[in-house]
Amino acid sequence: MDQNADASFDPSKNYDEDTLAQQREIEKEIAASQAMVSQLHTFDEIVEEYSQEDAIYRQKIEDLKSRFKNLRKTRGDGNCFYRAFGFAYLEKLLNDGKEYKRFLDIAQKSKDELIGLGFPQFTLEDFHDTFMDVVKMVENPGTVDGLFQAFNDAGLSDYFVVYLRLLVSGHLQQNADSYVYFIDGERSVKEFCSQEVEPMGKESDHIHIVSLTKALQIAICVEYMDREGEKCNSFKFNPFESLADDTDTAPAFTLLYRPGHYDILYPL
Amino acid sequence: MTTPARRRLMRDFKRLQEDPPAGVSGAPSDNNIMLWNAVIFGPHDTPFEDGTFKLTIEFTEEYPNKPPTVRFISKMFHPNVYADGSICLDILQNRWSPTYDVSAILTSIQSLLHDPNPNSPANYEAAQLYRETRREYEKKVAAIVQESWNDDDDDDDDEGEEDEEESKAGS
């Protein structure tokens, strides 16, 4: 509590802490008002989020309604892509034992790969253990309700998100040569990972989605909803597209992207 | 009641005891695992050598998804430490990774003492002296090194202009 102030700006004061404190207040408000993963919504409910004047978005909701039955929301806390991805995928695995086995194997092996890349073993194991606990909830008797509880339990849900972030970081670092040109700013892939991938709450871009689908070998579809055009643009992330064998390319699930946010879509 | 943050802090503490990094130590305060006291010993071959700098680390229930708040309690003179003892270090802010534990935090701060970043100054005088008149910088640091030995009794008064000090640091 010195004062070396020369003007209105006090150089001895830590303004970062005020900013952080403000951020935490905003996060608390979001946490209090939005579930990490919501129950199913119908599009008749969703359309009410838009005013009558907002013809473009209302029309696009109608488009979705003609192809999808429900929507499940995720909390807008910067982790929505990972949470939507995790929930939608595990929910799919409830009915796909073969794919579950394949995924379980990849998930088990990923721990040693990440440690090999230099992630600290002590803390990585903690996240991996919790991640596997959640994944194994798919096994008998796996239920949507069980997953729903787990994904709304911060201790499980956030640890699960952290581990998905580490998988993205690991994949980017392992394939740094292919990704370095897709990173903006004068940053190395490793710097990008420590700034934009690993910290919780950092939003996901195209590059994060590509990495996660490649790391786990899962094809997904994203419906993009913006002000352009009359229908949502559907985009498939297909990690198999460069392989001759593309038998596995049906997307595991579909997400809805509205500017800055991902939710889960359920087909008719 | 145990929460993910508390469970993880117990693990951090266990690891710190079993595998203590050189030159740092830390432990939860007596009745509150969310508030830790720590000490960083000034790294060798730096002006901070022989200093014993005390810090507090304050965790929230969001740990390890969010970083703790770390503050020097001992008086500090360093380009990246604010007057109130808080620290300008990227891994404690926008580059925080949940894979860091207490041990990693303390060793990062230790290397910050070693390797200041004068381009994002929290203490302008320290940053300027560090860049321009290193000898003056080292003198100022030497003063707070000496003060750090007297921290045990309530540290209210600081004026470190005395030379001639008995060294009592074990180092």
Side-chain angles (χ1 to χ4, degrees):
Chain A
M1 328 306 151
D2 269 317
Q3 54 252 14
N4 305 338
D6 54 354
S8 57
F9 172 71
D10 176 357
S12 67
K13 184 169 158 40
N14 184 351
Y15 289 94
D16 293 344
E17 284 198 341
D18 292 352
T19 313
L20 282 177
Q22 262 176 9
Q23 263 172 20
R24 290 207 166 154
E25 276 309 305
I26 295 169
E27 286 163 9
K28 269 189 202 155
E29 273 173 38
I30 292 174
S33 62
Q34 302 174 4
M36 283 187 266
V37 171
S38 83
Q39 298 286 4
L40 293 176
H41 291 275
T42 65
F43 290 98
D44 291 333
E45 291 163 41
I46 301 297
V47 78
E48 294 311 316
E49 292 175 11
Y50 298 96
S51 70
Q52 291 294 342
E53 292 75 46
D54 205 341
I56 297 172
Y57 274 129
R58 290 183 78 101
Q59 183 181 356
K60 292 201 173 187
I61 297 285
E62 289 303 320
D63 166 44
L64 289 175
K65 194 176 161 183
S66 71
R67 296 182 288 136
F68 297 93
K69 190 170 165 212
N70 290 114
L71 177 142
R72 195 189 288 280
K73 294 186 181 182
T74 61
R75 181 181 290 170
D77 59 0
N79 301 311
C80 56
F81 166 70
Y82 299 95
R83 227 177 305 260
F85 184 103
F87 189 87
Y89 184 59
L90 295 191
E91 198 178 16
K92 180 203 154 63
L93 293 186
L94 289 173
N95 301 309
D96 190 343
K98 191 174 152 224
E99 171 73 358
Y100 172 67
K101 284 214 176 65
R102 184 195 71 85
F103 178 67
L104 198 62
D105 188 47
I106 290 190
Q108 298 278 17
K109 284 180 185 157
S110 64
K111 182 179 90 174
D112 290 337
E113 278 177 37
L114 290 176
I115 291 170
L117 281 169
F119 286 99
Q121 177 165 3
F122 164 75
T123 47
L124 190 101
E125 273 175 355
D126 197 27
F127 292 109
H128 184 257
D129 289 350
T130 305
F131 181 79
M132 295 309 291
D133 288 347
V134 175
V135 169
K136 285 179 181 163
M137 291 183 74
V138 166
E139 284 176 52
N140 50 74
T143 62
V144 175
D145 196 47
L147 293 178
F148 181 80
Q149 304 290 341
F151 273 80
N152 279 298
D153 174 332
L156 299 173
S157 196
D158 284 345
Y159 268 47
F160 191 91
V161 168
V162 167
Y163 196 74
L164 291 182
R165 288 180 175 278
L166 297 176
L167 287 171
V168 169
S169 176
H171 177 82
L172 287 170
Q173 292 184 52
Q174 264 173 331
N175 300 279
D177 291 349
S178 328
Y179 289 108
V180 67
Y181 302 107
F182 297 99
I183 287 171
D184 48 278
E186 300 272 303
R187 293 187 278 188
S188 69
V189 168
K190 197 165 169 55
E191 281 169 334
F192 177 81
C193 288
S194 68
Q195 290 166 358
E196 309 293 343
V197 181
E198 290 175 39
M200 284 292 273
K202 286 287 179 168
E203 291 182 5
S204 296
D205 248 320
H206 199 85
I207 187 171
H208 302 78
I209 305 178
V210 169
S211 303
L212 190 57
T213 55
K214 288 204 172 177
L216 298 176
Q217 296 284 290
I218 299 168
I220 72 166
C221 183
V222 178
E223 294 283 342
Y224 286 89
M225 190 168 137
D226 53 26
R227 297 206 169 271
E228 302 291 313
E230 290 172 358
K231 294 189 167 178
C232 293
N233 294 310
S234 172
F235 189 89
K236 195 165 155 191
F237 290 84
N238 182 3
F240 309 103
E241 69 193 345
S242 54
L243 305 176
D245 166 29
D246 58 356
T247 48
D248 260 336
T249 56
F253 54 85
T254 302
L255 301 182
L256 171 64
Y257 178 82
R258 289 181 280 181
H261 189 67
Y262 292 89
D263 293 309
I264 307 168
L265 287 170
Y266 292 83
L268 284 171
Chain B
M1 185 190 100
T2 180
T3 61
R6 288 159 200 267
R7 188 176 56 104
R8 175 50 200 270
L9 284 167
M10 287 306 296
R11 293 195 64 198
D12 280 19
F13 184 41
K14 195 157 169 256
R15 175 160 185 252
L16 206 54
Q17 287 176 312
E18 286 169 359
D19 182 17
V24 304
S25 71
S29 57
D30 284 342
N31 47 14
N32 184 2
I33 191 154
M34 308 301 280
L35 180 66
W36 287 44
N37 297 306
V39 176
I40 292 179
F41 299 94
H44 293 297
D45 302 323
T46 73
F48 296 92
E49 185 163 1
D50 293 337
T52 54
F53 303 104
K54 292 189 182 139
L55 308 92
T56 56
I57 314 177
E58 207 180 332
F59 299 90
T60 65
E61 290 290 350
E62 274 115 331
Y63 181 76
N65 300 323
K66 291 287 162 67
T69 306
V70 188
R71 226 179 263 283
F72 277 102
I73 300 302
S74 303
K75 192 168 183 194
M76 187 37 80
F77 186 79
H78 184 283
N80 308 110
V81 179
Y82 289 96
D84 67 357
S86 59
I87 302 164
C88 181
L89 178 61
D90 55 1
I91 69 144
L92 294 176
Q93 280 123 24
N94 59 355
R95 288 178 75 150
W96 170 256
S97 163
T99 60
Y100 298 140
D101 64 351
V102 174
S103 177
I105 293 168
L106 290 175
T107 48
S108 297
I109 296 172
Q110 190 187 33
S111 53
L112 185 69
L113 294 184
H114 208 288
D115 208 2
N117 175 8
N119 296 322
S120 65
N123 178 334
Y124 281 82
E125 187 194 2
Q128 195 181 14
L129 292 180
Y130 178 79
R131 272 195 308 254
E132 292 165 13
T133 34
R134 192 66 63 91
R135 295 244 356 228
E136 283 303 308
Y137 172 76
E138 286 170 1
K139 261 182 160 165
K140 290 264 194 184
V141 172
I144 58 107
V145 166
Q146 286 181 1
E147 265 186 61
S148 77
W149 303 331
N150 306 327
D151 270 356
D152 298 330
D153 28 292
D154 280 344
D155 46 294
D156 12 42
D157 211 41
D158 343 284
E159 215 61 65
E161 233 45 56
E162 253 69 280
D163 24 3
E164 210 33 45
E165 234 67 44
E166 279 24 278
S167 116
K168 57 173 168 169
S171 163

